[in-house]
Amino acid sequence: MDHEHYSKERSASLDLLLRFQRLLVSKLYPGDCVGQVPNTYSPDLLGVGSLLKKYTALLCTHIGDILPVATSIASTSHRHFAEVSRVVDGDLTGILLPELVVSIVLLLSKNAGLMQEAGAIPLLAGLLEHLDRFNHLAPGKERDDNEDLAWPGIMGSFFTGQSSRNNEEVTLIRKADLENHNKDGGFWTVIDGKVYDIKDFQTQSLTGSSIL
């Protein structure tokens, strides 16, 4: 029902583009090429790959024009960000792009040679900076770490090099120590036999302590 509701809200032209995009992906998906010599592709298949590249280029050009404007407006306030996100979610950026990225990753895992021949993947890479700037405006996204992907107390060690100190003496923490620490207001958790302090991440999480 939700799918039908959103389909009715989409314009006919956007629906047509989505169907065209799915048709391209289905034509490139390996299924009818059993017994084909590796690294040799029919002219029809190469033609579809070329068409996918042109389609991706046009889509990325449009999104590359839209996102900087969206980022500029969204940076005004949290309310502006919420409204812009709603608009972007119903545009090509929110409807066509996510499915296209997933489809290309799937095609790459099935037939890497053909996808490299098509050349559509580098075009998507040009959107990363625009998407990153927009996502950084999300409310509650403030970070203490310098690295974009570093979680305080968890992933930071991978970027700072602390995890590579294999020669350091390992501190053993008993279950009772962990329980007492958490009773005193701390927030230690065990993942794969290692104890992590996620107290800093708790203050930045939007999901609440129960999920953590």
Side-chain angles (χ1 to χ4, degrees):
M1 291 178 64
D2 288 342
H3 176 71
E4 292 177 1
H5 173 69
Y6 287 120
S7 295
K8 290 177 181 177
E9 286 187 346
R10 288 201 300 260
S11 65
S13 57
L14 195 54
D15 256 339
L16 186 62
L17 280 172
L18 184 58
R19 292 186 182 203
F20 174 72
Q21 177 176 297
R22 289 173 177 175
L23 180 62
L24 284 176
V25 172
S26 67
K27 291 293 184 183
L28 289 170
Y29 193 83
D32 301 328
C33 49
V34 179
Q36 184 173 325
V37 180
N39 299 324
T40 60
Y41 309 107
S42 67
D44 289 345
L45 205 57
L46 292 174
V48 176
S50 177
L51 194 57
L52 177 66
K53 181 179 180 180
K54 292 178 181 178
Y55 170 80
T56 305
L58 291 171
L59 184 65
C60 289
T61 299
H62 171 79
I63 295 175
D65 291 338
I66 291 292
L67 280 178
V69 179
T71 301
S72 176
I73 298 173
S75 63
T76 307
S77 68
H78 291 340
R79 185 176 63 83
H80 284 79
F81 178 85
E83 189 62 25
V84 169
S85 297
R86 186 187 65 80
V87 173
V88 168
D89 193 45
D91 184 47
L92 305 182
T93 310
I95 295 176
L96 298 181
L97 182 62
E99 188 171 311
L100 179 64
V101 170
V102 172
S103 299
I104 286 182
V105 170
L106 179 62
L107 289 171
L108 186 64
S109 68
K110 294 292 184 179
N111 199 335
L114 177 61
M115 292 309 297
Q116 290 174 359
E117 191 83 23
I121 298 173
L123 299 172
L124 292 170
L127 295 177
L128 291 177
E129 188 175 346
H130 294 304
L131 290 167
D132 197 46
R133 287 176 181 171
F134 183 79
N135 289 333
H136 268 68
L137 298 175
K141 204 64 178 175
E142 297 81 8
R143 293 182 176 91
D144 296 326
D145 299 308
N146 293 327
E147 298 294 338
D148 293 343
L149 299 178
W151 286 5
I154 299 179
M155 295 297 291
S157 60
F158 287 97
F159 297 102
T160 58
Q162 295 174 3
S163 61
S164 61
R165 300 176 184 174
N166 298 325
N167 296 327
E168 284 189 357
E169 183 180 351
V170 178
T171 302
L172 297 179
I173 298 177
R174 298 174 301 169
K175 184 178 180 181
D177 296 332
L178 184 141
E179 291 174 349
N180 290 333
H181 177 81
N182 289 348
K183 286 179 182 177
D184 294 336
F187 206 153
W188 286 356
T189 188
V190 180
I191 303 173
D192 292 336
K194 295 182 181 180
V195 179
Y196 295 89
D197 185 355
I198 58 174
K199 182 70 176 178
D200 292 338
F201 184 61
Q202 179 189 13
T203 61
Q204 299 185 22
S205 172
L206 303 177
T207 59
S209 300
S210 59
I211 294 180
L212 289 177

